[in-house]
Amino acid sequence: MNSTEIRKWSSGKAIELSSKLEKPSPFYFGYDIEESFISQLEKYSFDKIFFFTEPHLFELYGKNIYKKIQEKFPCHLEFIPPGEKCKYFPILEEMCENLILKGASKKSILLAFGGGTVGNVVGLAAGLIYRGIRFIEIPTTMMAQTDSTLSNKQAVNGKNGKNHFGLYHAPIFIWADTKYLKTEPLLYRRSGIIEGIKNGFISDPNFLDYLEKALNPHANFSDDELTELAYRIIVSKLEILKRDPSEKGYGIILEYGHTFGHAIEWLEEGKMSHGESVSFGMKIAAELAREMGLISQKDVDRHYYLIEDKLGFNNPFPEHITADRLIDAMIADNKKTGEELRFVILEKIGKCYNPQGDYLVTVDSQVVKKVLNNFIEGQLNKRSSQTYEFLRVA
Ligand SMILES: NC(=O)c1ccc[n+]([C@@H]2O[C@H](COP(=O)([O-])OP(=O)(O)OC[C@H]3O[C@@H](n4cnc5c(N)ncnc54)[C@H](O)[C@@H]3O)[C@@H](O)[C@H]2O)c1
């Protein structure tokens, strides 16, 4: 099959992919595959299931699958606050204490039905209770189906940064039905796709060619196109994980744009999505690579073209974020790795720079500051000459 062809995704047929992780979880993927979920669940022995979701997701899709589970097994419904609001200690603590009160045992299974946030907090609760019980993920967003469920990383946010408290805990299986993606808010759909664009820049120029043809600024797709896009993003990440399932050596390239991105997301205090923050992070990382003489202006322009013109992420950079604030936030977020500023940097399209056997490259803070100041100035000029579509997290 050539790089631009779209498969016929037949309704109701689940295919199995391998996540290639240290503890690989079976990953079932397809369009409208809900009917076969129960037969997969029946393969496991357990005393009860705790079904975690957000109220509006339950109304949209969750209640069908919940009803099917409840007809066969003891199943408790548990609601958690929507989006990033659930990724904090008080919510995690309440979830864990409630589970104990409601009789969760080592034989119970938690089920996370929702986006990356639901998966992260439920995965962390499952990893903590009795030092770890089983859990299942049914991801309902592009980000969760193509990225977060493929890493086994579970976390909540701290007072000083995102994902500061967590652990690795693998679900017993992942059930990704692309039917759910149809109603995902545009902002989040774009946020999921940005990680796919990232995978192309760091490892696969052919994938970028496909994305250039497949994407449109309204992120509007037919069912087959959306399923094909999700499938190809998943495969692009699996190719990287195959070489380094632990994401500590080669796999660290998946952090491209994330050092800047996490700091922007943090400074925006929840007003900007993870994906949009990473989209700014990738543009800045491209500018940094050009400043270091590694990539050309044409390569930098390709970032802007794909992110802004093809994906439609073209909001202005937040006015209150200065180069100094961003550098301070990056240093604070980097406590785990030290005070130096370290980034994944492109050597060319499809390949990351690895000067001393380490894909996280230390860059002098003055160089970073110069790049940031130029970037921010460029954004200010853009602000005064363009009208933007304002899409912000409510
Ligand atoms: N563990 C990892 O390796 C990893 C990787 C990437 C992202 N993440 C985390 O994932 C989170 C972001 O996940 P996300 O992008 O899925 O966002 P999300 O979970 O916040 O969901 C986004 C919004 O979409 C709504 N929603 C979800 N599915 C829907 C559907 N099918 N139809 C309509 N509305 C729907 C939710 O209610 C929410 O308001 C962040 O906290 C990020 O840190 C983790």
Side-chain angles (χ1 to χ4, degrees):
M1 149 165 237
N2 72 34
S3 69
T4 53
E5 232 172 289
I6 294 173
R7 266 159 274 256
K8 183 79 197 109
W9 289 93
S10 36
S11 222
K13 186 166 176 275
I15 59 167
E16 184 175 350
L17 305 169
S18 165
S19 68
K20 311 283 183 213
L21 291 165
E22 277 166 343
K23 285 189 192 165
S25 306
F27 189 107
Y28 299 96
F29 174 89
Y31 178 78
D32 200 8
I33 55 175
E34 210 169 85
E35 283 304 319
S36 31
F37 176 78
I38 296 295
S39 48
Q40 177 60 27
L41 188 60
E42 279 170 341
K43 294 179 184 162
Y44 298 86
S45 135
F46 53 91
D47 60 1
K48 50 181 104 59
I49 290 208
F50 290 87
F51 188 105
F52 284 91
T53 191
E54 299 173 8
H56 84 107
L57 285 178
F58 184 71
E59 284 307 313
L60 265 177
Y61 307 107
K63 61 181 169 195
N64 283 338
I65 203 158
Y66 173 74
K67 209 168 142 245
K68 286 188 185 116
I69 300 172
Q70 217 191 17
E71 279 164 9
K72 295 218 158 192
F73 308 102
C75 186
H76 296 265
L77 176 62
E78 304 290 332
F79 286 130
I80 48 179
E84 204 67 26
K85 287 191 204 105
C86 72
K87 278 185 59 170
Y88 286 91
F89 266 125
I91 304 290
L92 176 71
E93 185 182 4
E94 197 183 315
M95 279 171 69
C96 291
E97 293 294 358
N98 246 326
L99 282 165
I100 307 291
L101 287 177
K102 290 184 178 165
S105 76
K106 284 189 177 179
K107 289 187 189 143
S108 305
I109 291 179
L110 310 190
L111 190 152
F113 187 94
T117 51
V118 179
N120 274 189
V121 72
V122 174
L124 182 52
L128 292 173
I129 293 176
Y130 309 131
R131 300 193 187 91
I133 63 170
R134 292 167 296 170
F135 84 112
I136 294 166
E137 289 199 74
I138 305 186
T140 61
T141 61
M142 184 64 98
M143 173 80 79
Q145 295 197 354
T146 64
D147 195 43
S148 62
T149 48
L150 290 171
S151 77
N152 295 346
K153 289 193 262 181
Q154 319 303 347
V156 289
N157 303 323
K159 288 183 179 156
N160 298 299
K162 262 188 72 83
N163 297 329
H164 273 183
F165 306 102
L167 42 73
Y168 288 81
H169 191 50
I172 51 175
F173 68 90
I174 300 147
W175 193 261
D177 188 337
T178 57
K179 180 180 76 174
Y180 304 137
L181 302 181
K182 285 201 258 192
T183 50
E184 180 181 12
L186 176 61
L187 172 67
Y188 291 99
R189 182 180 282 184
R190 285 183 175 137
S191 291
I193 298 170
I194 193 75
E195 301 283 354
I197 295 180
K198 175 200 71 184
N199 296 347
F201 276 117
I202 57 180
S203 68
D204 188 354
N206 292 334
F207 187 48
L208 284 184
D209 295 340
Y210 157 76
L211 288 172
E212 262 167 17
K213 293 201 179 71
L215 298 183
N216 63 80
H218 304 293
N220 212 345
F221 306 102
S222 69
D223 293 344
D224 271 345
E225 285 167 344
L226 194 57
T227 302
E228 183 71 22
L229 179 62
Y231 173 77
R232 290 195 189 217
I233 298 176
I234 292 169
V235 171
S236 71
K237 180 156 179 175
L238 292 182
E239 285 303 314
I240 296 168
L241 292 177
K242 251 189 228 173
R243 281 181 61 179
D244 175 22
S246 72
E247 291 183 51
K248 288 186 182 115
Y250 176 71
I252 203 83
I253 65 170
L254 289 162
E255 291 291 302
Y256 183 56
H258 281 61
T259 314
F260 293 113
H262 276 153
I264 295 166
E265 190 178 359
W266 189 247
L267 291 171
E268 275 286 89
E269 297 175 346
K271 292 193 289 300
M272 192 185 284
S273 75
H274 174 73
E276 189 172 11
S277 314
V278 168
S279 79
F280 281 116
M282 281 167 56
K283 289 188 275 189
I284 302 171
E287 301 279 6
L288 182 60
R290 194 208 39 183
E291 177 65 26
M292 292 167 71
L294 292 163
I295 64 172
S296 65
Q297 184 58 50
K298 204 169 140 221
D299 296 334
V300 177
D301 292 346
R302 200 166 180 199
H303 282 72
Y304 283 85
Y305 175 64
L306 263 158
I307 294 168
E308 299 186 356
D309 298 6
K310 295 302 293 185
L311 184 60
F313 256 154
N314 54 14
N315 284 318
F317 192 68
E319 275 181 79
H320 67 97
I321 301 185
T322 60
D324 285 333
R325 287 193 71 201
L326 204 46
I327 288 174
D328 287 347
M330 284 190 288
I331 289 171
D333 190 41
N334 255 3
K335 279 200 184 97
K336 38 201 174 192
T337 50
E339 291 273 300
E340 289 172 329
L341 292 172
R342 297 168 80 207
F343 305 91
V344 175
I345 296 173
L346 286 192
E347 183 179 303
K348 60 179 187 178
I349 300 288
K351 189 164 189 275
C352 294
Y353 189 44
N354 180 13
Q356 277 135 11
D358 190 351
Y359 284 99
L360 266 184
V361 181
T362 302
V363 183
D364 183 78
S365 61
Q366 288 311 312
V367 176
V368 177
K369 195 168 174 175
K370 179 178 167 200
V371 168
L372 282 173
N373 278 328
N374 288 342
F375 176 78
I376 291 167
E377 195 184 325
Q379 293 284 311
L380 286 174
N381 294 337
K382 194 171 155 189
R383 188 176 292 127
S384 58
S385 65
Q386 264 183 268
T387 313
Y388 292 92
E389 166 197 14
F390 276 87
L391 270 171
R392 280 282 185 273
V393 183

